[in-house]
Amino acid sequence: MSSEATAAPPRPLRADAQRNYDRILEVACDAFREHGVQTSLDDIAKRAGVGAGTLYRHFPNRDCLLAAALGEGRQALDQVVVTCLSREDAGEALNEWLIAVAVYLGSYDGLADSVAQAIHDDSSPLGTPCTALKASTATLLKRAQEAGAVRADVNADDLFVLASSLAWAADSNGYDHSDLRRLLTLVTVGLR
Amino acid sequence: MSSEATAAPPRPLRADAQRNYDRILEVACDAFREHGVQTSLDDIAKRAGVGAGTLYRHFPNRDCLLAAALGEGRQALDQVVVTCLSREDAGEALNEWLIAVAVYLGSYDGLADSVAQAIHDDSSPLGTPCTALKASTATLLKRAQEAGAVRADVNADDLFVLASSLAWAADSNGYDHSDLRRLLTLVTVGLR
DNA sequence: TTGACAACCGGAGGCTCTCTCCGTATATTC
DNA sequence: GAATATACGGAGAGAGCCTCCGGTTGTCAA
């Protein structure tokens, strides 16, 4: 498909470079989905029919490739925010959002780990999108709190960490979506 | 008709072997604490002043070494179970236990991951102790439920997964004990 | 004490994976 | 149809895991 336009590239990629970029990304998505974030990068290069050097020129490290591979999922999440914001039940909207975040962070095996690492590393391209996720979480939380659906002393960072944890739990324990929802219910409704 | 005595060790280690075993374990504890569960095993061998072969003979893989290094912490946990069982407030006792489990699984960076992997792998020596932890969780949960402190539809496995998740979250986000407690409160009291 | 043997040691080396370097090839431009 | 910036590829350095086996040493009976 079409490539991703970063802020303002001074010059378009050469045709062969663009071809390779796209091919690598396509293969990487499959590999991550199939073998998790720890899949071999050299193997991705091989499967894409390029040398290792070419892969590393386009994506200097694993996180860069991962961030690129997550691009589409991120756009889908932006859509979810809009939908959630338009829902009447603010508490339910927040739940829906947290599930979406957990599902997103569970896209690939081990992704929650990578993201958690990256979030404390300004140089990682995985950190930036997460800041946006946190911001959206804050917005939806505030709305839920104003509607009286959520206690006032809950903070957005904890909530994001909780969503990440659920993603991790699902990954590590082979939980599916319904398990995820059950766990989230445990969290949101509480043990009383 | 069993041919092997699993309980009694058939023969004590030779003196030099015992010395090496102890030394490796000591160095390993430090290394795990300092660099997490992914620390280099060859490096541990080097620091312990033995060859790689010696390390792998005593501890065939990382999980074996990890399980041995966790031995003491596990005994401390057994103590916690006893204490919790003797507490009057069954709900509070369960909370205390979950915190203890989370702290235990946060002993080393990445431990929660290793344990979660091992739990679905019968051949891993890390799995066995976890079965015990789950059993204790079930006992304390049942007690809390009978005291009416916890809903009846909560199950012990989910609770254990939740405790693991908290350990993971603490690891990955640099949370300390008070953060951990706050997160657990979020979970147990709920958002509403 | 000594000899014989089982138990144990060490580290070379095979394998995999990451990432870099640089001689070579090719798309683009004029 | 050059000239040139851009991009390619794969050899290879470095690090880690784990095995294999020739050599060493603790142990015990005599």
Side-chain angles (χ1 to χ4, degrees):
Chain A
M1 285 306 215
S2 68
S3 74
E4 207 178 356
T6 35
R11 184 197 289 253
L13 283 177
R14 227 170 69 173
D16 53 346
Q18 182 67 61
R19 235 182 351 255
N20 282 332
Y21 181 101
D22 293 343
R23 180 97 186 91
I24 290 169
L25 199 48
E26 188 187 328
V27 170
C29 284
D30 289 349
F32 284 141
R33 192 159 28 235
E34 199 170 342
H35 301 113
V37 300
Q38 290 304 332
T39 188
S40 158
L41 297 190
D42 271 20
D43 203 56
I44 290 178
K46 214 162 287 172
R47 283 212 263 164
V50 303
T54 300
L55 184 148
Y56 284 98
R57 195 173 323 105
H58 286 303
F59 308 98
N61 57 52
R62 178 176 247 98
D63 276 6
C64 289
L65 186 50
L66 205 44
L70 284 169
E72 293 170 24
R74 234 173 47 225
Q75 293 179 344
L77 263 192
D78 288 344
Q79 202 52 48
V80 174
V81 179
V82 175
T83 309
C84 283
L85 278 174
S86 70
R87 286 190 63 161
E88 207 165 323
D89 185 334
E92 201 47 52
L94 179 62
N95 285 0
E96 207 58 46
W97 169 249
L98 292 178
I99 287 277
V101 170
V103 168
Y104 174 70
L105 292 178
S107 303
Y108 309 130
D109 260 28
L111 177 58
D113 268 303
S114 298
V115 165
Q117 297 282 332
I119 231 165
H120 299 105
D121 173 9
D122 291 340
S123 71
S124 170
L126 269 182
T128 331
C130 287
T131 309
L133 293 188
K134 279 193 175 183
S136 299
T137 304
T139 305
L140 283 159
L141 170 61
K142 188 157 178 246
R143 191 161 160 266
Q145 285 173 323
E146 284 170 353
V150 171
R151 290 206 318 267
D153 65 327
V154 174
N155 77 71
D157 277 358
D158 278 357
L159 226 45
F160 184 78
V161 166
L162 226 44
S164 306
S165 303
L166 292 187
W168 175 87
D171 260 15
S172 313
N173 296 281
Y175 275 25
D176 62 18
H177 283 203
S178 78
D179 294 319
L180 205 58
R181 211 168 270 277
R182 192 180 66 245
L183 266 193
L184 184 76
T185 304
L186 220 57
V187 173
T188 51
V189 172
L191 304 180
R192 188 160 316 164
Chain B
M1 38 184 94
S2 66
S3 53
E4 297 282 332
T6 45
R11 183 195 292 248
L13 282 178
R14 229 172 67 174
D16 54 346
Q18 183 68 56
R19 237 183 349 256
N20 283 332
Y21 181 99
D22 292 343
R23 181 99 186 89
I24 291 169
L25 199 48
E26 189 188 328
V27 171
C29 283
D30 290 349
F32 284 141
R33 191 158 30 233
E34 200 170 342
H35 301 112
V37 299
Q38 289 304 330
T39 190
S40 157
L41 297 191
D42 272 19
D43 202 56
I44 290 178
K46 215 163 287 172
R47 283 212 262 165
V50 303
T54 300
L55 185 147
Y56 284 98
R57 196 173 324 106
H58 285 304
F59 308 97
N61 56 53
R62 186 180 296 278
D63 277 5
C64 289
L65 186 50
L66 205 43
L70 284 169
E72 294 170 23
R74 235 173 45 226
Q75 292 180 346
L77 264 193
D78 288 345
Q79 203 51 49
V80 173
V81 179
V82 175
T83 309
C84 283
L85 278 173
S86 71
R87 287 190 61 161
E88 206 164 322
D89 185 334
E92 201 48 50
L94 179 61
N95 285 0
E96 208 57 46
W97 168 248
L98 292 178
I99 287 276
V101 170
V103 168
Y104 173 70
L105 293 178
S107 302
Y108 309 130
D109 260 27
L111 177 59
D113 268 302
S114 298
V115 165
Q117 296 282 331
I119 233 166
H120 299 105
D121 174 8
D122 292 339
S123 70
S124 171
L126 270 181
T128 331
C130 287
T131 309
L133 294 188
K134 279 193 176 183
S136 299
T137 305
T139 305
L140 283 159
L141 170 62
K142 189 159 177 244
R143 190 159 160 268
Q145 285 173 323
E146 283 169 353
V150 171
R151 290 207 318 267
D153 64 327
V154 174
N155 77 72
D157 276 359
D158 278 356
L159 226 45
F160 184 79
V161 166
L162 227 41
S164 307
S165 302
L166 293 187
W168 174 86
D171 259 15
S172 313
N173 295 281
Y175 275 23
D176 63 17
H177 284 201
S178 78
D179 294 320
L180 206 57
R181 209 167 272 276
R182 192 180 67 246
L183 266 193
L184 185 76
T185 304
L186 221 57
V187 172
T188 52
V189 172
L191 303 182
R192 193 158 306 179

